[in-house]
Amino acid sequence: MKKAFLNIAIVFVAFFVPNQTSFAQIPFPQAIATCEEYSQDGTIEYKGEAFDLTITLNKAKDNRCIYKEKIHQNRSYQMLTCEFTKNQLGFLSDSMTRFNKEFKKQIDKNKIFEAKMTTNGEIFQKYLVNPNYCKITHSKSK
């Protein structure tokens, strides 16, 4: 189970299930530019298994922005939590805008893909694997 979660966080997701609920008022790249509150739920399929995702964006103390990507299946989940400074938000927004243009067809099929930072290689390499910004935690129960 843990290996599947790590694979889904690292590997580009090519298959989607169009079952999602969106609470976001604006597109994710705009929301992260100013750290607007954002929430997106959805489901992706990977190697024949369905994974539910919840992605949130919230302001924190001292002008930091908190990005959370929760990948859950059955009673287990993996949580990616990142803390970004105000100065980093422009880069993140620009990168996600470029990413969204490149993968427009996939995003049109499944909106959760728009805010899923772990599929964006540019952001993954710069921030998501750096423990100064992001941490991955696991749990056995929801």
Side-chain angles (χ1 to χ4, degrees):
M1 178 66 88
K2 286 183 182 179
K3 186 175 181 181
F5 281 144
L6 290 175
N7 286 338
I8 205 161
I10 296 172
V11 176
F12 176 81
V13 180
F15 301 101
F16 302 96
V17 178
N19 176 16
Q20 70 273 342
T21 305
S22 174
F23 298 102
Q25 298 298 311
I26 60 175
F28 182 77
Q30 287 177 272
I32 200 161
T34 58
C35 196
E36 294 296 318
E37 196 146 316
Y38 183 96
S39 181
Q40 180 79 260
D41 292 314
T43 301
I44 59 170
E45 189 176 309
Y46 180 71
K47 293 187 176 182
E49 293 188 65
F51 294 86
D52 296 318
L53 277 82
T54 301
I55 293 174
T56 58
L57 194 59
N58 294 295
K59 288 183 182 179
K61 295 178 183 174
D62 63 14
N63 288 325
R64 293 195 178 265
C65 189
I66 307 296
Y67 171 85
K68 290 186 179 182
E69 185 174 307
K70 181 178 181 181
I71 303 169
H72 43 102
Q73 183 184 44
N74 301 323
R75 306 194 105 228
S76 298
Y77 71 85
Q78 174 185 9
M79 176 72 82
L80 171 71
T81 303
C82 303
E83 207 172 297
F84 301 111
T85 65
K86 201 174 195 177
N87 294 336
Q88 295 164 327
L89 299 181
F91 169 80
L92 293 167
S93 178
D94 291 347
S95 180
M96 290 306 292
T97 298
R98 287 190 305 278
F99 180 80
N100 288 358
K101 285 179 184 173
E102 185 176 346
F103 296 100
K104 184 179 180 344
K105 288 180 184 177
Q106 290 90 338
I107 292 168
D108 287 346
K109 289 179 187 175
N110 189 342
K111 195 74 173 149
I112 193 72
F113 193 49
E114 177 183 39
K116 188 173 175 359
M117 281 192 184
T118 51
T119 55
N120 183 326
E122 186 176 331
I123 292 173
F124 188 85
Q125 292 299 321
K126 186 165 181 145
Y127 293 114
L128 302 183
V129 294
N130 186 333
N132 292 325
Y133 305 112
C134 300
K135 307 234 183 314
I136 296 175
T137 55
H138 303 277
S139 178
K140 297 272 189 239
S141 61
K142 271 188 178 173

